[in-house]
Amino acid sequence: MLELLRERRSIRKFTSEPVAPEDIRKLLGAALLAPAGMGKKPLEFIVIRDRETITHLQFLKAHGTAPLASAPLAIVVIADTRKTDTWVEDASIAAILIQLEAVRLGLGSTWIQIRLREGGEGSSEDAFRKKLGIPDGYGVLNVIAVGHGAEEKSPHTDADMDFSKVHYERF
Ligand SMILES: Cc1cc2nc3c(=O)[nH]c(=O)nc-3n(C[C@H](O)[C@H](O)[C@H](O)COP(=O)(O)O)c2cc1C
């Protein structure tokens, strides 16, 4: 597991090779196995492979959307906020599991934050809801750009593990 975690880097440039349908299914399978507060299942996912749609999403948030310029796949993590008060935690766990499964499959990915962010059309969450037909009552956590990496990044090392952040018995 630590090896996988070392290898997970945010990959922001992708080749044009599509992600294989069986790999897309594995990414979503990982997300669907995520634990959730009180076992409620508030999460849903929107899988986007259409280049025009992915390009459009890039402009619904002011900064940090560069990975969508080349990603052949975007997965939007949404949740029915009426089902639970832990939807942000639930969605975040599912999102990182997608990213870790991507590493395992030899794919790259980047978490692009949507919740609490703004773009040219105002709230990025509202703009995503409108563009993708997401009903009111659903929160949009993020969109994960996924694809075959077109950039190399060194894995994290032990030096990235700052054990001074760990407190034993009390702060
Ligand atoms: C909550 C959260 C929000 C993030 N938002 C963005 C984003 O909007 N755009 C982006 O390019 N990267 C985003 N990232 C990726 C971080 O910038 C990245 O994880 C961090 O710089 C560490 O680099 P690494 O992922 O290669 O270890 C986000 C990551 C997290 C966990």
Side-chain angles (χ1 to χ4, degrees):
M1 187 66 185
L2 280 178
E3 281 311 308
L4 197 74
L5 292 169
R6 280 195 184 94
E7 279 176 41
R8 189 217 50 78
R9 297 297 316 274
S10 294
I11 298 299
R12 298 187 171 90
K13 289 185 186 136
F14 305 96
T15 70
S16 56
E17 184 183 348
V19 178
E22 58 270 28
D23 285 352
I24 296 178
R25 196 174 162 80
K26 286 174 188 161
L27 294 171
L28 275 303
L32 292 166
L33 289 175
M38 296 179 75
K40 294 181 180 165
K41 298 265 176 188
L43 302 184
E44 299 191 34
F45 305 89
I46 303 178
V47 176
I48 306 166
R49 292 148 301 178
D50 178 63
R51 168 69 358 232
E52 241 178 72
T53 307
I54 296 175
T55 299
H56 185 104
L57 296 182
Q58 205 184 338
F59 299 101
L60 303 183
K61 187 189 167 203
H63 304 286
T65 59
L68 294 173
S70 57
L73 172 68
I75 300 174
V76 184
V77 181
I78 64 173
D80 187 338
T81 63
R82 297 156 298 191
K83 283 192 177 162
T84 172
D85 59 2
T86 60
W87 77 268
V88 175
E89 291 84 351
D90 299 341
S92 300
I93 293 167
I96 194 65
L97 291 178
I98 290 173
Q99 293 200 274
L100 292 176
E101 179 65 0
V103 177
R104 195 190 70 79
L105 293 167
L107 297 165
S109 74
T110 293
W111 174 313
I112 297 167
Q113 182 72 14
I114 296 305
R115 192 179 76 93
L116 306 176
R117 295 292 176 261
E118 303 271 324
E121 296 178 21
S123 150
S124 298
E125 267 194 276
D126 285 346
F128 264 60
R129 273 190 285 267
K130 189 169 159 204
K131 173 70 185 168
L132 301 174
I134 301 167
D136 288 344
Y138 278 76
V140 183
L141 178 77
N142 68 0
V143 50
I144 305 171
V146 187
H148 295 271
E151 62 175 339
E152 287 284 331
K153 282 196 176 173
S154 333
H156 289 295
T157 65
D158 284 2
D160 297 310
M161 297 177 186
D162 180 359
F163 281 96
S164 73
K165 307 257 182 178
V166 182
H167 308 276
Y168 292 90
E169 317 313 340
R170 55 173 293 155
F171 191 93

